[in-house]
Every structure is written in structure tokens, then in C-alpha cells.
Amino acid sequence: MLFSDYTNPTFSKEILDLIIDPAHRTEPKRYRSGKNPFEFASKITENVIYKLDDLIANSKDEYTNKQLIANFWDLWQHFFTKISCSGKRHFLSTLFLDINWKTTASHWAALENKKSFYETMVKELGKYKTISIQNVFSTVGEKTFLPDSISWLVEIFKKDIDTTVCLFAPSAERMIQRLFYNHISKIKMNKPLIDDYVWILNRMVDLGSSEAYMFRENVITYKSIV
């Protein structure tokens, strides 16, 4: 196991290196199915997230849960550094914790107090995988990241309009819904934040979203009085 409440952090990082280094040495498409180190490494790292979620969801031992979460983030910091230094863009979906979360989910305990670290990952690598960030914001990351963190996405979108392709995805509709129904009172009190929300809505309208148009008509009233 890559991490637990008793695993030596250094040993965990060494195991992670052994798993992901072969994939970084070549391109995923060069391997046949079943012999692809990229596919193997992706599954292993995804399972680390699933395992942590399962462990903390089924344990009432607060100390153990805190230790598990701390070990996980220590490993994830190493994972982030490895990807950043590799010059490659493998494993970004997993790095951003974009796994098969329930679409009804709105919080993950392991994200608590990790907003700053997640922002660091977004600032450095987010432009390569905006869809994954959006998927997290619209599910388990809602309570930790919304509404403020939409500004991270808008900053990326404004620099490279091509990254807004993620706004075609169902998670974009889910995100703007949650922003309106769960966070509009905070958004309307912050002009930069409401400007960023309207920017997303405008772009989604341009891409043909009727739902974004409906929300924009409601939000524009708030914007005019801020």
C-alpha cells in the first residue's frame, strides 16, 4: 500500500517513483493494451484516492483519519513535484483528484485545509486539465473551493480561450447551478467574484447553453447593485 497511518513517508514516495517513472520515460500510445505502464500507474494512483476515501468514510477514529490524510497529502505533494519536474502532462486528472465521484457529492473531508495547495497545483498545471478541476469543483470540492476558486479557472480561461472547451461538459452546468443555488449570497457581495461568475456564464451562453442564459439573466440583477 502506498500510504497508511503507519507507512514510512519516504518509502511511500519511493514506491510511487517506481510506479510512475516508467510511464514518464515514454509516450502512452507506444504500448499495447495490458502492457502500458501509463495505464497501470494511472490505476494505482487513482486507487490511492479511492482507498483513502473508503478508509476515512468507514472509520470513527479521528486520530487515525488525520494521520491517513496527512500521509496522503505528503505523498501528493511528491506526486505534484514529480509531474511538474517531468515536463510531461501524464496523470493530471488523478493529480487533481478527478476520479469517478458521485455527481451528488459536495464535500470530501480530505480536502479540508488544502485549498492553498490545490490552488498551487491549479496555478502551475491547471491550464492543461481545466476539465478535471471543474469536475472536482462541481462535486466533492464544492464546500472547500466554491465560490471563490472559480476565479482560478477564469484566470486560465482568459489567458487561453481554448481551455474553455471544458464548459461544454455536464460538470459546467452542475457548477453554475451550485454557484447560483448555494453560493449566490456570497457572490453578490463580491464584485470581482460576480464578474468572474458572469464571465463563465457569458462564455457558456456563447457556447450555446440555455441554462447559463437563464442564470445570467438572474445574476445580472445582482451585479448591477454591487
Side-chain angles (χ1 to χ4, degrees):
M1 187 175 178
L2 278 173
F3 81 100
S4 71
D5 59 331
Y6 54 81
T7 301
N8 183 306
T10 300
F11 183 59
S12 296
K13 294 170 188 175
E14 290 173 351
I15 295 175
L16 181 65
D17 291 348
L18 290 172
I19 292 170
I20 67 175
D21 284 352
H24 275 156
R25 285 196 286 266
T26 189
E27 294 301 319
K29 63 183 179 182
R30 294 187 180 183
Y31 290 88
R32 295 179 180 178
S33 179
K35 296 183 179 181
N36 190 332
F38 171 78
E39 185 177 307
F40 171 75
S42 294
K43 289 180 178 178
I44 293 295
T45 49
E46 286 175 11
N47 282 332
V48 170
I49 305 171
Y50 284 121
K51 187 63 176 180
L52 175 63
D53 182 50
D54 181 62
L55 288 171
I56 63 177
N58 292 290
S59 171
K60 295 183 179 180
D61 186 332
E62 186 175 346
Y63 173 80
T64 298
N65 286 350
K66 286 182 177 180
Q67 191 61 50
L68 284 167
I69 292 171
N71 288 354
F72 170 81
W73 286 113
D74 185 59
L75 181 65
W76 232 242
Q77 174 70 65
H78 180 69
F79 190 24
F80 169 57
T81 301
K82 290 282 292 186
I83 293 175
S84 297
C85 295
S86 73
K88 298 188 178 182
R89 305 299 170 228
H90 305 339
F91 313 115
L92 288 181
S93 293
T94 311
L95 179 70
F96 287 120
L97 310 175
D98 180 21
I99 59 173
N100 190 30
W101 299 108
K102 291 182 179 178
T103 57
T104 56
S106 62
H107 183 59
W108 192 41
L111 285 172
E112 294 172 6
N113 302 314
K114 285 300 174 180
K115 186 174 180 178
S116 179
F117 174 60
Y118 200 92
E119 180 181 10
T120 298
M121 295 198 298
V122 171
K123 297 291 186 181
E124 183 165 338
L125 298 170
K127 64 182 178 180
Y128 303 110
K129 211 69 176 178
T130 52
I131 182 63
S132 289
I133 299 164
Q134 181 176 278
N135 289 344
V136 171
F137 284 3
S138 65
T139 54
V140 293
E142 179 188 348
K143 289 187 178 180
T144 300
F145 299 126
L146 297 186
D148 311 70
S149 301
I150 59 168
S151 297
W152 307 345
L153 282 174
V154 173
E155 182 178 349
I156 294 171
F157 293 156
K158 287 181 175 180
K159 289 179 180 177
D160 184 355
I161 201 67
D162 289 343
T163 60
T164 61
V165 67
C166 67
L167 296 176
F168 276 114
S171 57
E173 302 279 355
R174 188 166 58 244
M175 183 174 71
I176 63 172
Q177 287 173 6
R178 293 189 179 201
L179 285 165
F180 186 82
Y181 292 121
N182 302 338
H183 305 280
I184 195 62
S185 59
K186 183 175 181 179
I187 291 172
K188 70 180 183 179
M189 300 304 294
N190 184 314
K191 188 177 187 305
L193 193 54
I194 201 168
D195 286 347
D196 285 340
Y197 185 34
V198 171
W199 193 97
I200 290 174
L201 294 172
N202 283 338
R203 181 57 181 159
M204 290 180 68
V205 170
D206 291 342
L207 294 172
S209 171
S210 57
E211 188 162 23
Y213 179 83
M214 179 188 69
F215 284 125
R216 186 180 67 177
E217 293 305 296
N218 284 283
V219 172
I220 204 72
T221 303
Y222 293 128
K223 185 180 180 186
S224 66
I225 63 175
V226 174

